[in-house]
Amino acid sequence: MPELVFFSGTMDCGKSTLALQIEHNRSARGLQGLIFTRDDRAGEGKLSSRLGLVTDAVEVADDLDIYAYVVEHLSQGGKVDYVIADEAQFLAPEQIDQLARVVDELELDVFAFGITTDFRSKLFPGSQRLVELADRVEVLQVEALCWCGARATHNARTVNGAMVVEGAQVVVGDVNRSADEIGYEVLCRRHHSRRMTSATAHAAQLSPDVLPVGPA
C-alpha cells in the first residue's frame, strides 16, 4: 500500500541526504519521481545536502496545489512513481493535505522530509499537519550533536553567535554560516533552554556542567 512517510529530525542530521539517496535508489531501478522543495539553501528549485549533492526540484510557491501539479504532469504523459517533498516544514497545512491526497487518490508513495520545531521549539504548521496525517513518522537515527557533545534535540537561530528567540518563523540560513550572520545551530535541550551556543559558551569560558545561578 502506498504511504505518506514523514522523515523528521533536527538540522544537520541528514534529511536531505536521505531524500537524495531515495531518489537515486529508485531512479536506478527505472522509477521516476517528482521532487518538491521550498527555500533550499542552494537556491530556488534545488534539493541539496551539506555533503555537496544537489538535484533539480520543483519550487513550491504559496499558491501551488501539489496534487493538481502531479495530476497535470500525469495527464500530459509524464510518469510519476513516487513523490519527494523536502523542507516540508515550510509547506502550508493545505499543501500537506494535498500530499496525502496524492497517496490516497493517485496511489503513489510520498516521502516528506523536514524538521519538526522551529528555533523557539514551536511546531511548524507543515510539520504539525504531517504528524497528524502521516502513515509513518520516522525519526532519523543519524544524531546531530550539540557543541557539548550531547545529542542535539533543538534548533537554535543565532545572530553574531548569540541565540535569539524572536523574529519571523522562517528565515533561511545555514549551520555553516559565519558568526556575524543569521545562522542556525543545533543544541541539546539544556543548552537551548539556557540559550548557550558554542560561541557564547566559548566567550564565557563556561563548563557545560556549571549550573545556572539565576532562576531557571
Side-chain angles (χ1 to χ4, degrees), residues 30-34 68-83 106 108:
L31 302 177
Q32 295 182 26
L34 279 175
Y69 186 99
V70 177
V71 170
E72 178 67 17
H73 185 82
L74 290 167
S75 67
Q76 293 182 355
K79 182 182 179 184
V80 182
D81 296 304
Y82 59 94
V83 169
L106 302 181
L108 299 175

Side-chain angles (χ1 to χ4, degrees), residues 71-216:
V71 170
E72 178 67 17
H73 185 82
L74 290 167
S75 67
Q76 293 182 355
K79 182 182 179 184
V80 182
D81 296 304
Y82 59 94
V83 169
I84 290 174
D86 196 35
E87 305 293 355
Q89 72 273 6
F90 296 145
L91 302 184
E94 56 267 26
Q95 290 171 324
I96 303 302
D97 290 343
Q98 294 157 14
L99 290 177
R101 193 178 176 193
V102 168
V103 176
D104 296 337
E105 299 188 18
L106 302 181
E107 298 187 345
L108 299 175
D109 283 319
V110 173
F111 306 102
F113 300 81
I115 60 179
T116 307
T117 58
D118 64 15
F119 67 104
R120 301 164 300 184
S121 298
K122 304 295 184 182
L123 285 168
F124 282 100
S127 298
Q128 177 178 333
R129 193 62 178 145
L130 273 166
V131 171
E132 294 166 347
L133 292 183
D135 296 292
R136 286 189 291 126
V137 177
E138 300 283 350
V139 178
L140 297 189
Q141 298 304 307
V142 178
E143 294 184 350
L145 298 179
C146 177
W147 59 265
C148 69
R151 178 173 177 264
T153 54
H154 289 61
N155 306 300
R157 181 181 295 169
T158 62
V159 176
N160 297 325
M163 179 176 158
V164 295
V165 294
E166 296 181 351
Q169 186 176 51
V170 179
V171 176
V172 179
D174 201 352
V175 296
N176 296 320
R177 293 197 175 194
S178 61
D180 59 350
E181 297 181 273
I182 294 177
Y184 290 90
E185 183 175 347
V186 288
L187 300 172
C188 64
R189 184 178 62 241
R190 178 175 62 167
H191 288 125
H192 189 275
S193 65
R194 296 181 187 178
R195 304 185 188 180
M196 188 180 295
T197 66
S198 58
T200 55
H202 178 74
Q205 295 183 340
L206 288 176
S207 165
D209 295 324
V210 174
L211 295 176
V213 176

Side-chain angles (χ1 to χ4, degrees), residues 6-24:
F6 180 30
F7 294 93
S8 179
T10 61
M11 294 178 295
D12 212 20
C13 75
K15 296 180 301 299
S16 296
T17 301
L18 179 58
L20 287 162
Q21 185 68 55
I22 288 176
E23 161 66 12
H24 170 76

